[in-house]
């Protein structure tokens, strides 16, 4: 009897966990769809585009398509006049690993002016990247640039923080290529909800940076 009760308890617990993950994921998706755009022609203009960080290369040394496609998406928006400045936010937590710098270099290679790119070295998590746009860069309305699944979570975070954001969906990867990432995403969304319940803050803040302020001063002078 004890074994049967244990099995039954484990089964009920598994079902509860499954429906929790399913419910949270569907809620995040359904509440952000109206803020996502797939085409450059349809997306409204905002002053700043936030590119969410990821590694430039995979562990095996091959190019990371998530990185490549996000850079391409940011360039498309900038060249179309849909954004005026770009913030690249990512992890620079240890030596020889610098997501923001890699993104900056990739953007410059594609013709984006260096003085229109701002680096956020403390974007260790999506929460940090979104939160710091207001706390550090003084921007409460901006475009988030990443793959669709990532944009959904980022915009959900922004909505919770009272920010006005839209997302531009970079080209996605195949399901086979992104299987592990999509699986992690299911649990990442649950963690986002838990972060909101405890009012989670970024690991680091810092002094404010006013985007475009230096360029305005140069024009006046």
């Amino acid at each position: 009897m004890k074994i049967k009760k244990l099995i039954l308890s484990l089964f009920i617990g598994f079902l509860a966990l499954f429906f929790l993950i399913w419910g949270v994921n569907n809620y995040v998706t359904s509440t952000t769809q109206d803020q996502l755009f797939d085409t450059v022609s349809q997306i409204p203009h905002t002053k700043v585009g936030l590119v969410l960080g990821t590694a430039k290369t995979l562990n095996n040394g091959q190019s990371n398509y998530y990185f490549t496609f996000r850079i391409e998406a940011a360039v498309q928006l900038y060249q179309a006049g849909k954004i005026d400045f770009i913030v690249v936010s990512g992890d620079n937590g240890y030596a020889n690993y610098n997501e923001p710098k890699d993104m900056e270099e990739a953007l410059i290679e594609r013709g984006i002016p260096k003085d229109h790119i701002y680096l956020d070295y403390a974007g260790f998590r999506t929460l940090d990247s979104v939160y710091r746009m207001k706390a550090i860069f003084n921007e409460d309305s901006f475009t988030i640039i990443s793959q669709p699944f990532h944009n959904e979570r980022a915009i959900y975070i922004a909505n919770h923080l009272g920010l006005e954001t839209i997302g531009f969906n970079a080209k996605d990867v195949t399901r086979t290529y992104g299987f592990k990432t999509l699986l992690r995403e299911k649990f990442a969304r649950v963690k986002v909800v838990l972060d909101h319940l405890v009012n989670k803050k970024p690991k680091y803040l810092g002094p404010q940076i006013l985007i475009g302020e230096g360029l305005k001063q140069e024009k006046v002078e």
Side-chain angles (χ1 to χ4, degrees), residues 93-153:
Y94 52 94
N96 301 321
Y97 186 80
N98 195 330
E99 291 177 356
K101 193 64 179 177
D102 287 341
M103 289 190 285
E104 179 193 41
E105 292 176 354
L107 289 169
I108 291 174
E109 287 177 1
R110 289 161 176 77
I112 306 299
K114 182 180 177 65
D115 57 3
H116 283 222
I117 305 171
Y118 290 77
L119 283 70
D120 176 17
Y121 293 106
F124 300 110
R125 299 174 53 201
T126 303
L127 170 65
D128 296 33
S129 297
V130 174
Y131 191 103
R132 285 169 57 83
M133 282 296 290
K134 175 61 177 179
I136 302 301
F137 296 98
N138 202 35
E139 298 291 334
D140 55 13
S141 178
F142 50 92
T143 299
I144 300 173
I145 303 166
S146 189
Q147 275 68 34
F149 72 90
H150 199 186
N151 277 341
E152 291 174 359
R153 175 158 51 93

Side-chain angles (χ1 to χ4, degrees), residues 73-103:
V75 171
Q76 289 175 9
L77 289 182
Y78 183 87
Q79 291 179 341
K82 296 294 185 173
I83 54 176
D84 304 319
F85 300 94
I86 300 173
V87 173
V88 288
S89 179
D91 188 349
N92 181 36
Y94 52 94
N96 301 321
Y97 186 80
N98 195 330
E99 291 177 356
K101 193 64 179 177
D102 287 341
M103 289 190 285

